[in-house]
Amino acid sequence: MSSPDSSSHLNGPDATVHDPRRRRAILLAVCVALMAVIASVSGLNVAQPQVAVEFDASQSTVLWMINIYTLSLAALLLPLGALGDRVGRKPVLLAGLALFGVASAAAGLANSATMMIAARLLAGIGAAMIMPVTLAVITSTFPDGDRSKAIGIWTGVAGGGGILGMYLSAVLVDWANWRWLFLLPVVLVAAAAVLALRAVPNSREQARHRFDVTGSLTSVIAVTALIYVLHEGPVHGWTAPLTVASLLVGAVAAVGFVGWELRHPAPLLDVRLFGDRRLASGSLALLTLFGVQAASSSSCSPTSRPSSAGPAYAPPSRSCPWRR
């Protein structure tokens, strides 16, 4: 006798949900989960001075607290998304929500810079389990006629979630304490988990080939090395040996990833799909949204460098409307 969940454990096109009310519930669940992930990308930016004082941390350390989340999210996005397609999207989504929620709570309770960085790293891993699965759930459960609209809503949440999260985080910092920044993602994750348990069906793809381990490793190396260059380049200098070496490693890994994916029978990312003008333009638009969001966050970052004598931290820019 099959349970309700097992009846919705579907493969390929059979995962389509035809009930409009349930589709709306699915869309709400994945958008709330996505909002938690995106809001955490920029939320901590508004509390940089408070965090630096709390942990007696240098600018570089504070920026690692912020950027380790984005780094782990970006580096593991493809491998964990592919894993969700294979083992089941609903369990991966729920596991990611659990890990993300616990890690966010730990970050709010952190008593050292090391604990904060570790918590943000785990939160990024949880986010990498959540974000690709939310989109995969939409593409597998929505019929062709409604799929584009649902993906448009998902994209809107992805683009606007960071800005909304930044302003809500600023309100929490102004009215309470920087530690309350992490209450927002915990609440969103709890709500998303309840909605996902009730509405999201479990679906997976039919795996005919082995998991793309080589593609996973090269993608992780490429993303990690290139983000490291962007993070440490302004600190150590763009022509510093470590910066140049990281750039070369990232570039070689990226080229190797593309070459491997073109030959693999079951690629982690089918790069040929970007030959489709509609997909390429949509990806470029989403990348632009994230780029603008990252640039607006960076414009509110301090510009002083850490010194050997102790932490160095500049006051926040007056150009940021959420700053006092």
Side-chain angles (χ1 to χ4, degrees):
M1 181 176 175
S2 63
S3 64
D5 188 70
S6 63
S7 66
S8 54
H9 185 86
L10 303 167
N11 298 305
D14 292 333
T16 302
V17 174
H18 298 284
D19 181 4
R21 293 181 61 185
R22 189 179 183 192
R23 287 202 303 268
R24 287 193 292 269
I26 292 171
L27 184 59
L28 178 61
V30 297
C31 284
V32 171
L34 180 64
M35 177 69 75
V37 169
I38 299 300
S40 294
V41 172
S42 56
L44 195 57
N45 277 284
V46 302
Q48 290 184 49
Q50 293 90 336
V51 171
V53 172
E54 178 78 20
F55 297 121
D56 193 27
S58 67
Q59 176 191 338
S60 180
T61 300
V62 172
L63 290 180
W64 271 116
M65 294 178 193
I66 296 170
N67 294 334
I68 193 67
Y69 173 83
T70 309
L71 191 153
S72 54
L73 167 59
L76 297 174
L77 197 66
L78 285 176
L80 293 181
L83 184 66
D85 289 337
R86 284 175 171 259
V87 305
R89 296 174 181 118
K90 185 172 184 176
V92 171
L93 175 61
L94 293 174
L97 289 170
L99 176 60
F100 183 86
V102 170
S104 296
L109 299 172
N111 55 18
S112 68
T114 301
M115 182 176 176
M116 171 66 82
I117 292 174
R120 293 280 288 172
L121 172 64
L122 291 176
I125 296 173
M129 298 170 71
I130 296 168
M131 189 173 183
V133 171
T134 58
L135 183 58
V137 166
I138 292 175
T139 58
S140 65
T141 57
F142 277 71
D144 293 340
D146 296 319
R147 189 177 300 142
S148 296
K149 181 179 179 181
I151 292 176
I153 294 172
W154 183 93
T155 305
V157 172
I163 298 174
L164 179 61
M166 187 178 293
Y167 275 91
L168 291 177
S169 297
V171 171
L172 289 172
V173 170
D174 285 342
W175 290 93
N177 183 278
W178 69 265
R179 294 183 183 274
W180 286 88
L181 292 175
F182 298 99
L183 177 64
L184 177 63
V186 170
V187 171
L188 290 173
V189 159
V194 172
L195 291 168
L197 282 169
R198 297 183 60 182
V200 175
N202 189 16
S203 61
R204 65 165 66 116
E205 297 296 329
Q206 294 274 358
R208 297 186 180 134
H209 300 277
R210 297 178 62 184
F211 185 75
D212 186 5
V213 177
T214 301
S216 298
L217 291 176
T218 52
S219 70
V220 169
I221 292 171
V223 172
T224 302
L226 293 175
I227 291 181
Y228 181 85
V229 170
L230 296 176
H231 183 278
E232 293 296 314
V235 177
H236 298 294
W238 295 106
T239 58
L242 184 58
T243 304
V244 174
S246 298
L247 179 60
L248 290 175
V249 168
V252 170
V255 172
F257 171 76
V258 172
W260 176 263
E261 295 302 286
L262 287 172
R263 295 186 305 161
H264 198 274
L268 196 68
L269 175 66
D270 190 351
V271 294
R272 297 180 186 87
L273 293 176
F274 290 97
D276 186 332
R277 183 176 299 178
R278 291 173 299 175
L279 177 62
S281 61
S283 301
L284 180 62
L286 188 58
L287 181 63
T288 302
L289 281 172
F290 282 110
V292 170
Q293 179 180 309
S296 64
S297 299
S298 300
S299 68
C300 299
S301 299
T303 56
S304 62
R305 290 190 177 185
S307 67
S308 59
Y313 212 89
S317 169
R318 293 183 180 274
S319 63
C320 300
W322 49 84
R323 300 290 200 188
R324 285 183 174 180

